[in-house]
Amino acid sequence: MGTTHEVFNQPPPLVGYDMFATDEALVDGVTLYGAESGELSELGNVAGSAHMLEQARLAHVNPPILRTHDRFGFRIDEVEYHPAWHELMRNAVGFGAHATAWADERPGAHVRRAAAAYIGAQLEAGHGCPISMTYAIVPALRHEPSLAQTYEAKLVSRIYDYGLRQSTDKQGLIAGMAMTEKQGGSDVRANTTRAVPSDDGTYLLTGHKWFCSAPMSDLFLVLAQAPEGLTCFLLPRVLPDGTRNVFRLQRLKDKLGNRSNASSEVEFDNTVAWRVGPQGRGVPTIIEMVQMTRLDCVIGSAGLMRAAYVQAAHHAKHRSAFGARLWEQPAMRAVLADLKVESWAALAVALRLAAAVDQNDVAFGRLATAVSKFWVCKRGPMVAAEALECLGGNGYVEDSGMPRLYREAPLNSIWEGSGNVIALDTLRAMAKQPSSLAAFLEELALAKGADPRLDAAVSRLRKQLPEMRGSDLDALQVQARRLTSLMAVCLQGALLVRHAPAAVADAFCATRLDGDWGGVFGTMPPNVDLKAILAP
Ligand SMILES: Cc1cc2nc3c(=O)[nH]c(=O)nc-3n(C[C@H](O)[C@H](O)[C@H](O)COP(=O)(O)OP(=O)(O)OC[C@H]3O[C@@H](n4cnc5c(N)ncnc54)[C@H](O)[C@@H]3O)c2cc1C
């Protein structure tokens, strides 16, 4: 029994709170877009419960194990997960954080789904990967209506039915995606996996994939070289006759973060797959899936920022130094308010992008998703690092949960198009689809006159937006990040001045748009209303 000292001035664990109701930006956003909030309230409480937060920790500290062979030496190519992983998955599927929005006729269905995924990201990011891919596969699969008809109902099902069995024996399905190969991930045209047509209309794929996350999923969209060029395929792990498709798991990646989620290297050897979309049109087909996973990168990073801010604020409210609670100390309030503004802006744009899916506003979604994927995912690591520091040394220790956020933070910027690739994609979208730039500028115009600093930033942007002709693209590459960043903050500013509390919008415009900012969190000008930003 330790009697050397009394333990005091340590915050209580942050458990038993409602991740929905306590998030003003989320409640406002869900209301703004007319999405159903009843279930989100329930999810907010479940996700913030001591039990689920413990499942998140357990899933992280007990990473998945690869089982290539059974005890008798037969190949099984399975991954064994801790029960906590399955509970996280069951919870996410049960609350419809995956594909349900595609079958949900209610207004704001995709916003509701985005809100559920955002709450899920605060709970545990790893399981968000298969949840997101199951959401994202649906629009791509619809390119092949017969396959969509066979599988869609089980992809949108709210039953998490784990295990490698034929789909007819399952009540719900999970999906993955495999594009990246050893020689190139961004440039998928370099794929070498071959697809040979069979007489029965299927294709036999031979080759490898260097990254294939969630390998225990039921279905995968993959790219392979067919006779007429790079083509998209649907590849099942179990064939309709109940036998296993060839899916040789070579290794699981030993990752920086995202450790609850298995990411594998896999080989195909005459692996059966069905064509999705025309031969030679693999990239335009799978891009429908990639577009949705990019949206989920924005949602995921917004969730991570919120989780980081909430932990930092909680700590500050309960910890004292130099005779006063940190929450009351001006320098700490400046940091926390700045973090909260960043988190608010990230969520505002995430929900706006989800609303564009609800509205089938393809032109706006095309460009705004790329712009926001670049920016919001880049901001995540900075928020995680600063929030961690708010906890002092405790934030550097695993028990606090902050290292999990910190290690997770860079991932959303890497996958589904790394920073440069996304910034270049922004240029490409503007050049090739002028309607996307028009829709983007229209969105900014809705906020015209609301704040002179936003107006000035938008006019700077308009001046920088060059003639978007194909021949100019190469010359513009060096400016891709600069332009994309300005577009991103203009979009966030435009959303905040219209929909956020005045203090949040004012702080954002002063710092991110007007440049009255030191470039690190906690350097907002003295006249911002910290009290209003940090309320309640
Ligand atoms: C944890 C994890 C899970 C993953 N899961 C999957 C999965 O399930 N399925 C899947 O298919 N992939 C998956 N990936 C792979 C991921 O999508 C790729 O790593 C990513 O697309 C980048 O490809 P690459 O690694 O080949 O990098 P490269 O393409 O070699 O790029 C390296 C760097 O160069 C930059 N770059 C590339 N082209 C240009 C250019 N023209 N100009 C300037 N800069 C450029 C990129 O932005 C990047 O920073 C996963 C990755 C991780 C880390």
Side-chain angles (χ1 to χ4, degrees):
M1 185 83 113
T3 53
T4 58
H5 64 285
E6 184 193 342
V7 178
F8 68 100
N9 196 25
Q10 290 279 356
L14 177 54
V15 292
Y17 70 104
D18 182 341
M19 286 190 191
F20 179 69
T22 55
D23 188 341
E24 188 189 347
L26 182 60
V27 173
D28 286 0
V30 164
T31 310
L32 173 70
Y33 296 114
E36 183 70 46
S37 66
E39 244 186 335
L40 291 173
S41 217
E42 204 188 322
L43 172 60
N45 276 301
V46 171
S49 68
H51 174 75
M52 281 311 279
L53 290 165
E54 176 63 359
Q55 301 312 300
R57 189 191 68 80
L58 286 170
H60 190 71
V61 299
N62 294 286
I65 299 166
L66 177 61
R67 304 271 183 229
T68 53
H69 295 79
D70 71 6
R71 55 185 284 217
F72 306 105
F74 293 104
R75 274 205 90 102
I76 52 170
D77 297 297
E78 293 204 20
V79 174
E80 190 178 297
Y81 292 92
H82 188 271
W85 166 266
H86 295 301
E87 186 154 355
L88 293 167
M89 287 292 290
R90 200 173 302 113
N91 184 61
V93 171
F95 276 104
H98 64 317
T100 48
W102 300 110
D104 189 343
E105 301 286 311
R106 290 173 297 176
H110 289 269
V111 169
R112 193 210 70 86
R113 203 267 341 162
Y118 163 82
I119 291 172
Q122 291 173 64
L123 175 59
E124 200 282 325
H127 78 294
C129 171
I131 291 299
S132 169
M133 292 192 289
T134 306
Y135 171 64
I137 196 174
V138 172
L141 202 56
R142 286 178 179 173
H143 281 265
E144 212 57 51
S146 63
L147 290 175
Q149 202 179 359
T150 307
Y151 293 111
E152 195 170 314
K154 287 185 180 171
L155 288 165
V156 305
S157 157
R158 286 197 181 212
I159 299 171
Y160 174 60
D161 192 352
Y162 178 76
L164 295 183
R165 302 190 306 282
Q166 61 200 93
S167 65
T168 44
D169 288 350
K170 298 191 71 169
Q171 293 180 281
L173 300 174
I174 296 293
M177 167 168 55
M179 298 188 292
T180 307
E181 297 187 359
K182 288 175 184 144
Q183 68 282 359
S186 308
D187 186 4
V188 291
R189 292 167 306 177
N191 273 197
T192 59
T193 297
R194 300 180 310 282
V196 177
S198 303
D199 293 341
D200 63 0
T202 64
Y203 288 72
L204 295 177
L205 272 51
T206 301
H208 81 283
K209 294 292 166 185
W210 182 231
F211 278 92
C212 176
S213 291
M216 289 300 283
S217 300
D218 300 286
L219 301 166
F220 295 83
L221 275 197
V222 300
L223 288 178
Q225 302 286 358
E228 289 178 35
L230 195 62
T231 303
C232 181
F233 294 94
L234 184 69
L235 188 155
R237 281 219 60 183
V238 177
L239 294 165
D241 66 4
T243 58
R244 294 223 174 157
N245 211 354
V246 180
F247 200 91
R248 286 193 203 121
L249 296 176
Q250 307 294 304
R251 270 200 298 189
L252 297 187
K253 302 286 192 186
D254 185 7
K255 296 178 287 185
L256 169 67
N258 202 259
R259 293 183 70 82
S260 63
N261 176 34
S263 296
S264 68
E265 298 165 15
V266 59
E267 283 190 3
F268 305 141
D269 188 359
N270 285 320
T271 303
V272 177
W274 305 292
R275 186 176 44 73
V276 181
Q279 268 199 46
R281 301 283 300 158
V283 172
T285 306
I286 210 166
I287 206 77
E288 298 250 14
M289 181 173 187
V290 172
Q291 175 75 358
M292 292 301 131
T293 49
R294 286 178 179 173
L295 162 62
D296 277 13
C297 289
V298 180
I299 295 169
S301 287
L304 181 136
M305 288 187 215
R306 174 69 189 173
Y309 166 75
V310 167
Q311 290 290 345
H314 174 76
H315 185 87
K317 282 176 184 170
H318 293 90
R319 176 86 168 178
S320 295
F322 301 103
R325 283 188 307 155
L326 292 170
W327 180 254
E328 284 143 17
Q329 307 215 25
M332 181 58 92
R333 290 177 73 73
V335 173
L336 291 170
D338 217 350
L339 290 172
K340 191 170 179 185
V341 167
E342 192 70 41
S343 162
W344 201 303
L347 178 62
V349 80
L351 295 181
R352 175 65 187 90
L353 295 174
V357 182
D358 274 320
Q359 295 151 6
N360 200 20
D361 189 350
V362 179
F364 176 75
R366 168 71 185 91
L367 181 57
T369 304
V371 163
S372 308
K373 196 302 194 173
F374 173 78
W375 181 252
V376 173
C377 299
K378 282 272 169 239
R379 303 296 292 159
M382 293 180 220
V383 169
E386 195 67 60
L388 180 155
E389 190 175 319
C390 293
L391 276 70
N394 287 346
Y396 201 71
V397 174
E398 290 290 341
D399 293 349
S400 72
M402 300 308 277
R404 171 145 60 96
L405 295 179
Y406 185 73
R407 288 194 300 268
E408 180 70 27
L411 181 55
N412 282 329
S413 186
I414 294 172
W415 63 14
E416 307 307 333
S418 308
N420 286 350
V421 168
I422 289 285
L424 293 174
D425 187 53
T426 298
L427 297 185
R428 195 175 312 112
M430 290 192 284
K432 299 262 164 70
Q433 287 162 262
S435 62
S436 68
L437 179 57
F440 189 88
L441 293 174
E442 264 170 46
E443 179 79 16
L444 300 187
L446 294 175
K448 194 166 182 218
D451 189 297
R453 296 161 299 187
L454 173 62
D455 290 346
V458 172
S459 104
R460 269 199 319 278
L461 172 64
R462 282 179 176 279
K463 279 197 199 108
Q464 284 184 31
L465 280 174
E467 289 271 300
M468 287 295 161
R469 295 208 187 92
S471 58
D472 292 334
L473 279 187
D474 282 351
L476 284 173
Q477 288 192 23
V478 70
Q479 288 186 58
R481 280 182 176 227
R482 184 180 162 86
L483 199 61
T484 306
S485 304
L486 181 57
M487 291 174 80
V489 288
C490 283
L491 178 58
Q492 289 185 319
L495 291 167
L496 294 181
V497 297
R498 287 169 63 212
H499 306 303
V504 172
D506 173 59
F508 188 92
C509 290
T511 53
R512 280 74 167 169
L513 297 179
D514 204 29
D516 193 356
W517 200 31
V520 294
F521 292 106
T523 56
M524 298 196 290
N527 56 340
V528 300
D529 190 346
L530 298 182
K531 191 167 178 212
I533 294 170
L534 290 173

